[in-house]
Amino acid sequence: MDADKIRATFLEKFRQVVYERSRTLSDQYEKLIEGADEAIADALMRELHTLKGESRMMGFAAAGQVVHALEDAVKLTREDKFRQLPQLREVFFEVLDSVAAIAGQGASPDPEPICHRITAALEGKAPKPAAKKPKPKKDPSKKQTTSSADSDSSSFELPSMVRISGQDLDRLSDSISDLFSTYLQIQDLGKGITRLRSHASPHQSRDKRKVLDADMLMNSLQSLDRDLAAFHREYRERTLTMATELDLVLDQVRQIRLLPITTLFNVYSSAARDLARAVGKQLQVRIEGETTMVDRSILDALGDMLLHLIRNAIDHGLEKGPRRLGQNKSERGSLWLRAQVVNDRIRIEVEDDGRGIDPGQIRKIALRKGVIKNHEFETLTNQESIELIFAPGFSTAEKTTELSGRGVGMDVVRARLQDLGGAIYVDSTPGQGTRFSIELPTTVAIARVVMFKAAGQTFALLATFVRRVERISTQSLLETSGGRALTVPEGTISAAHANELLRLGAARSDNEHTPVLLLEHGDRRIALLVDELIGEQELTIKPFSPYLSKIQSVSGAATLEDGSLVLLLHAGELISLAGRVHAPMAFFTSQTDQTEQQHRVLLVEDSIITRELERSVLVSFGLLVEEAGDGVEALNLLMQREFDVVVSDVEMPNMDGLELTRRIKQEEATEHLPVILVTTLASDEDKRRGMEAGADGYIVKSEFGSQAFIDLVSNFLPDLPLETETETENEDDPDPQNNPSQGQET
């Protein structure tokens, strides 16, 4: 292997080591300033010396030179008992950030300017501002891994390599070997099945004329029964063993996927200092809980959101040095990045000691921009006012700066977190600072959910949002002017039935006792009534594709053991919906009466997943939906019962949507039945073919559930009370927190 290949092999590992050493050096520097300690000084000098040597070994001469200059400067301060060490703060962190940038971007900067700034800082002179970091060598195949104020992309990329101990690797290998052995044992059971089949046919002897008497037949059946019992025991034991071993493998793989949160914090603490320098602010970043272990998927999802909160803290929160001194604060602002595991949730905090958020000012801006109305201006509490920053389109910035206006607003941060089953909270004191708290499940791939049924369909909710499950008497529900309510130990909270929130029709009227899920999302609660409680289990959650991600109240889906699809509902959006729905007294009306009032739709789609998702959209409009897998099956259903509209895919086996449309229009009984074709094909030629076949409407799948689709359905079912989410928000819900959509940055 030549030198270039050896270097490339170790480069990724070196980048990780640089971040780890930078974190260690930052901690040691802060401790050394707090109190001169020879042991800490020795450790810091060793780290600098090692970093210098590693940089040179990897061919980063510029990095080695600036670290060497810093090492010499720290040695000089040691002779003076580190009295001059605070003067090196800015250049100390600049050197660490520069080394990380050089290693991450492959840049080759001129080290002399930084070396001169180190000398100037040591002499007590104000160092000249750092020049912009050099552009990295262009490599279109490599995504940048570091962040800076002047970089075009400040995105976070997970390391492609992870460290795993030899002991963990051996355990995983042993578990996989055991699992494979059990698999082979279960395969051997197939031979037992063959033997049982031969025992089950004792009359098939070589002598076809020989007839078994009753005793022989009875003995044969008894022997067969014993063999079956033994086979069942062996099968149960081996499958149980295999399930246990599989759980062990999955648990070990989850452990391997865990990375320390410092993997993310180290990158963004460097980015934070870069951003602060770029706008002329002094900043120290404090990290707490850096050893907290987080799943790779969570780290990847957190990247952009965490950077956005850091940008906001520096741009809108922290004041410049002179102003801070005038407020009896230290000239240098502080930014805390914290992480901890609370129960089965990971909590990330971004806190600054800046100007804080003025709720009165927020109300004024919100009123001026039409986010709230006049009566709300007078009635909103301070906390409710602060949370207006999550409203779509809300921004306190009068103009776009280098740090703001990058396309991610606080409303989008909240929406992304909700998609991951998370939440965000804000706590602020004017003049003292602001703290944002993010809560997420420990992993977004496998989640513990509570499953229930509503209107015959199975749904799931993340267990972390279900405070508890009860069974209540329907007589205990209170009727109020704002809808139904339920009194629980925590107080009186709103109550709503899942059928109503999801527009699935009326709830069952024959239940004297109803299961209820007490949902809690942030500081909001609701009692969710359901038809049947199924239980709690772990499921692998799959997020929706982009063109289905806007389905209201649904954040993903999972496949059950029997192959059926269960939709994962979003607790926060259900609570918001309950705030907008004033449920009528018809909660206990007959389901038969309700069914007679609903329109019936025939949904024709060969893809099971697509059919389930399209069905959920149609059901959410209050429609009764029957399904068919192709045109032939659809024609059979049309002969059995009447439908109000047909919604069909185009490309299907056996009989496609075009032929199905022609057949429908040729029959006298169905010639006036509206047919809407839904497909991925969007060309004018495809639409023309659909219309020539007799289709009454044509829409591409990316628009399924959109306003265009709603309008199209309304044309054929004019008495169907459909309205878009936007209309509901504008007319019925004055609380902008309940309306997640994209907007401006705060």
Side-chain angles (χ1 to χ4, degrees), residues 4-265:
D4 289 339
K5 289 183 178 179
I6 293 175
R7 183 176 181 274
T9 301
F10 285 95
L11 183 57
E12 179 64 30
K13 182 177 180 180
F14 174 67
R15 289 182 179 128
Q16 296 182 46
V17 168
V18 166
Y19 288 126
E20 292 170 5
R21 294 204 187 284
S22 296
R23 173 73 186 119
T24 301
L25 285 165
S26 299
D27 290 343
Q28 291 170 342
Y29 178 84
E30 296 293 351
K31 291 176 181 177
L32 202 54
I33 285 183
E34 293 173 1
D37 184 297
E38 288 299 319
I40 296 176
D42 289 340
L44 185 144
M45 296 303 297
R46 282 196 302 270
E47 284 289 328
L48 284 174
H49 188 76
T50 304
L51 181 59
K52 176 182 67 176
E54 290 171 340
S55 299
R56 288 175 174 172
M57 284 292 294
M58 292 303 299
F60 296 117
Q65 187 172 341
V66 295
V67 175
H68 179 70
L70 181 62
E71 184 183 15
D72 288 344
V74 175
K75 283 180 182 178
L76 290 174
T77 65
R78 189 171 192 172
E79 296 173 1
D80 192 30
K81 295 184 179 180
F82 301 106
R83 291 189 181 93
Q84 294 175 291
L85 191 60
Q87 298 171 198
L88 295 176
R89 179 186 291 275
E90 286 295 325
V91 290
F92 188 93
F93 288 108
E94 184 183 348
V95 167
L96 298 184
D97 295 343
S98 296
V99 173
I102 292 170
Q105 301 177 353
S108 299
D110 181 5
E112 291 302 323
I114 297 181
C115 293
H116 288 319
R117 284 194 291 278
I118 293 173
T119 303
L122 196 61
E123 294 173 352
K125 300 176 183 178
K128 294 180 181 179
K132 284 190 176 183
K133 288 185 181 176
K135 297 281 186 180
K137 294 177 181 178
K138 292 185 178 180
D139 184 354
S141 66
K142 184 188 300 181
K143 185 178 177 180
Q144 303 305 326
T145 59
T146 58
S147 303
S148 64
D150 51 30
S151 65
D152 295 330
S153 174
S154 296
S155 57
F156 169 73
E157 182 183 14
L158 286 171
S160 57
M161 296 192 306
V162 295
R163 295 183 181 181
I164 175 174
S165 69
Q167 186 179 13
D168 289 341
L169 190 60
D170 289 342
R171 278 201 296 262
L172 179 60
S173 178
D174 291 342
S175 297
I176 292 175
S177 297
D178 292 341
L179 184 62
F180 185 69
S181 297
T182 305
Y183 164 73
L184 293 178
Q185 292 172 5
I186 292 178
Q187 263 196 333
D188 287 340
L189 291 178
K191 299 177 182 178
I193 295 175
T194 303
R195 290 194 299 270
L196 288 175
R197 290 185 61 188
S198 64
H199 291 168
S201 305
H203 60 283
Q204 294 180 357
S205 62
R206 292 180 181 178
D207 188 353
K208 300 293 183 180
R209 294 167 296 180
K210 188 175 181 180
V211 180
L212 296 176
D213 59 23
D215 291 338
M216 292 180 63
L217 181 60
M218 180 59 67
N219 291 335
S220 179
L221 289 175
Q222 290 175 348
S223 175
L224 177 62
D225 183 65
R226 288 191 298 269
D227 290 344
L228 282 173
F231 175 82
H232 182 262
R233 284 194 302 271
E234 187 175 4
Y235 175 78
R236 184 175 56 187
E237 290 172 359
R238 291 184 182 180
T239 53
L240 181 61
T241 300
M242 189 172 185
T244 302
E245 291 167 351
L246 183 59
D247 284 341
L248 183 60
V249 170
L250 288 174
D251 185 63
Q252 290 172 341
V253 170
R254 289 173 195 160
Q255 293 299 316
I256 293 174
R257 286 180 56 84
L258 294 178
L259 295 173
I261 192 68
T262 189
T263 307
L264 183 64
F265 281 179

Side-chain angles (χ1 to χ4, degrees), residues 558-570:
T559 304
L560 300 180
E561 295 176 354
D562 61 0
S564 61
L565 193 72
V566 57
L567 296 178
L568 180 69
L569 302 179
H570 194 285

Side-chain angles (χ1 to χ4, degrees), residues 279 308 311-312 315-316 369 393-408 743-746:
V279 294
H308 179 70
R311 288 184 182 278
N312 270 356
D315 194 23
H316 301 297
K369 294 189 174 184
F394 185 86
S395 175
T396 59
E398 297 298 329
K399 61 180 180 180
T400 298
T401 69
E402 282 292 318
L403 300 188
S404 62
R406 293 177 179 245
V408 181
Q744 298 298 317
E745 177 174 297
T746 301

Side-chain angles (χ1 to χ4, degrees), residues 317 329 351-357 427-435:
K329 295 182 179 181
E351 182 177 0
D352 66 76
D353 64 347
R355 61 174 58 92
I357 301 175
D427 182 28
S428 183
T429 302
Q432 297 183 24
T434 301
R435 180 176 66 248

Side-chain angles (χ1 to χ4, degrees), residues 636-650:
N636 289 333
L637 288 174
L638 286 169
M639 289 188 291
Q640 297 173 23
R641 61 184 64 89
E642 294 183 355
F643 293 89
D644 297 297
V645 65
V646 174
V647 178
S648 174
D649 187 19
V650 172

Side-chain angles (χ1 to χ4, degrees), residues 532-550:
E532 179 185 344
L533 180 65
I534 297 176
E536 185 176 354
Q537 72 177 81
E538 285 188 343
L539 293 177
T540 300
I541 306 299
K542 298 293 185 182
F544 280 158
S545 58
Y547 73 91
L548 291 171
S549 61
K550 298 300 182 183

